[in-house]
DNA sequence: CAGTGGTCTAGACCACAGA
DNA sequence: CTGTGGTCTAGACCACTGG
């Protein structure tokens, strides 16, 4: 029986990419370790060198590997970067970096808005608001302290959700197609609580992203996202 | 006289990428327009289809094109505009707030690139680079500590400029029409020098914006912009 | 069906780094 | 000199789309 030569579930270069990615995630290859050469990969995976080359080249483009002509290919030293603008939630971001996402929920409750909150959410003082506090982790290490305030009259079921699998931002974006987003980025020092939950010292500068999201001109939520400055950066690159 | 087959200044796939990119920028191809097929590109540029394929595939990865199997390749609908792009000229920004812009120049000299700088600017170690250090002020108050490294071989007259009226970024953008910008934002604590020149304390968190600019695929400059976190924020708001 | 992109091969030449 | 990555080719088969 002949097996069709080019019908596969996974392209061969993708198989190689996945294998390398997994090996790095399992720490079989550590940062700065050299990985097999293109010739070795080609032999191991029974592909041509061009196919191995594509796998490695794409992983370089994704920031997972670095190459030096004449020397070899190496696991990239750890670096974290995220495109601004794209409101992609932190979970996707971490998974795209080929790392393990997890989170912990500390609070999920209904409160009444004070003046400041009412202004931010465009509602009246005293209106009900859901408040959630979560910490999102990359490979078990806290990366984002996320407080979120949600207009309770628009999202009455928010507090009934279990956000262990689906993040608040995923839940909200399913319910309300995003139409507008606002970001304000600041540098701040962490509060006592932020220090503890992010496992950082009082003098670690943090990137604070204030994000407000709208759906069809309705202001849905305000999020206050605090990230340790020593392991989180925002990046963007664009043609003009 | 025989011409070496594989010694080129530009790889062939890069030539194709540049040609397509430029055609889009010049609006010879409009959003959603179909561009030539791989076979046509291969013929036009006298390369194999694999080489044309790589050029197109990478442009898809960069978001400039979209492909549909069986249909063709098309210019991406809308260029996502980065909000961080609006971190433009600090002088304009200050004047738009109807405040008084001023600056102070502390250094303007020619240096030789070390390893790190060479990587950032995409040049060889030891290549000449211009270094400038300025502080930009709003109503006399320091707002931005700006170190800039400029590829001296591309901008040989940089060090002869007087940047009191025209900022380095204004000068460069006149000389080199901007084609690509990269921003990486971090939260950091200020160095001794930054504390002094920005007139802030050691525990004031700062927003560090690393900006690299390209013109026609030439990496022109790298700027390191430090802002006091207590009086500077980055903001953006965009429809999606 | 023809035309498109998606993938793959086997081999080649070039450039760079280190011994 | 060897071994590495960087690039390129000519041709091939597969899968999807539309007529």
């Amino acid at each position: 029986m002949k097996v069709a030569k080019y019908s596969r579930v996974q392209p061969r270069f993708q198989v190689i990419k996945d294998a390398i990615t997994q090996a790095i995630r399992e720490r079989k290859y550590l940062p700065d370790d050299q990985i097999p050469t293109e010739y070795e990969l080609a032999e191991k995976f029974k592909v041509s060198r061009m196919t191995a080359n594509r796998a490695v080249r794409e992983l370089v483009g994704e920031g997972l590997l670095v190459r030096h002509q004449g020397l070899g290919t190496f696991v990239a030293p750890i670096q974290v970067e995220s495109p601004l603008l794209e409101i992609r939630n932190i979970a996707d971001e971490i998974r795209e970096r080929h790392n393990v996402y997890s989170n912990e929920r500390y609070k999920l409750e209904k409160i009444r808005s004070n003046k400041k909150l009412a202004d931010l959410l465009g509602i009246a003082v005293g209106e009900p608001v859901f408040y959630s506090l979560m910490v999102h982790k990359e490979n078990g290490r806290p990366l984002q302290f996320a407080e979120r305030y949600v207009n309770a009259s628009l999202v009455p079921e928010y507090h009934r959700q279990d956000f262990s699998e689906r993040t608040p931002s995923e839940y909200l974006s399913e319910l309300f197609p995003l139409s507008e987003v606002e970001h304000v980025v600041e540098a701040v020092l962490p509060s006592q609580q932020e220090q503890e939950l992010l496992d950082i010292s009082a003098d670690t500068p943090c990137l604070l992203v204030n994000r407000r999201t709208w759906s069809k001109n309705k202001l849905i939520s305000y999020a206050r996202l605090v990230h340790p400055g020593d392991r989180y950066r925002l990046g963007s690159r664009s043609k003009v």
Side-chain angles (χ1 to χ4, degrees), chain A:
Chain A
M1 168 100 183
K2 189 161 168 281
V3 176
K5 209 172 174 185
Y6 290 102
S7 51
R8 305 178 189 95
V9 185
Q10 286 260 98
R12 296 186 175 184
F13 74 87
Q14 188 61 52
V15 171
I16 301 177
K17 285 180 68 175
D18 290 346
I20 296 173
T21 298
Q22 190 177 349
I24 292 175
R25 184 162 38 203
E26 291 172 354
R27 302 191 68 73
K28 286 175 182 159
Y29 298 132
L30 299 176
D32 294 316
D33 275 2
Q34 182 168 11
I35 71 162
T37 68
E38 293 185 354
Y39 294 97
E40 290 168 346
L41 289 172
E43 186 180 9
K44 179 176 174 191
F45 289 93
K46 300 274 186 293
V47 300
S48 73
R49 188 188 153 212
M50 273 302 282
T51 301
N53 173 273
R54 175 168 177 184
V56 174
R57 181 153 41 78
E58 293 196 357
L59 288 175
V60 170
E62 293 168 25
L64 205 62
L65 301 174
V66 294
R67 316 194 82 176
H68 300 289
Q69 195 171 33
L71 284 179
T73 304
F74 306 83
V75 177
I78 303 297
Q79 65 168 32
V80 178
E81 207 168 290
S82 96
L84 238 189
L85 207 238
E86 301 179 28
I87 48 86
R88 302 145 62 247
N89 64 67
I90 188 87
D92 287 345
E93 198 178 309
I94 288 172
R95 292 188 187 112
E96 264 177 35
R97 287 198 290 265
H98 312 279
N99 287 332
V100 177
Y101 168 78
S102 62
N103 67 44
E104 207 148 340
R105 196 183 72 210
Y106 291 96
K107 279 184 182 160
L108 180 52
E109 55 194 39
K110 190 179 207 168
I111 61 175
R112 300 212 163 262
S113 64
N114 58 22
K115 178 70 169 68
K116 188 185 166 200
L117 200 49
D119 279 351
L120 278 167
L121 284 175
I123 57 177
V125 175
E127 288 286 301
V129 171
F130 289 122
Y131 168 73
S132 62
L133 169 55
M134 303 189 67
V135 172
H136 302 276
K137 304 183 180 188
E138 179 167 29
N139 293 339
R141 202 172 179 207
L143 187 66
Q144 183 187 84
F145 171 100
E147 289 180 299
R148 189 178 288 270
Y149 301 88
V150 177
N151 187 330
S153 63
L154 295 176
V155 199
E157 299 302 312
Y158 185 79
H159 65 308
R160 297 234 177 80
Q161 306 307 309
D162 170 24
F163 291 121
S164 60
E165 289 306 313
R166 194 170 45 168
T167 65
S169 108
E170 283 167 339
Y171 170 71
L172 289 173
S173 66
E174 278 169 31
L175 228 57
F176 298 93
L178 194 64
S179 62
E180 197 167 351
V181 59
E182 177 192 74
H183 286 120
V184 179
V185 181
E186 313 173 50
V188 298
L189 289 178
S191 69
Q192 179 75 37
Q193 183 186 36
E194 288 156 7
Q195 291 167 41
E196 286 166 14
L197 296 188
L198 287 174
D199 192 21
I200 54 177
S201 62
D203 61 354
T204 301
C206 291
L207 264 190
L208 165 58
V209 176
N210 298 282
R211 174 191 294 166
R212 295 198 293 171
T213 53
W214 282 258
S215 182
K216 293 181 188 148
N217 298 313
K218 298 280 190 187
L219 215 172
I220 306 297
S221 82
Y222 161 64
R224 192 173 164 283
L225 312 170
V226 181
H227 314 79
D230 55 2
R231 54 186 190 249
Y232 190 82
R233 300 186 290 185
L234 295 168
S236 78
R237 181 161 171 174
S238 54
K239 308 258 183 189
V240 289

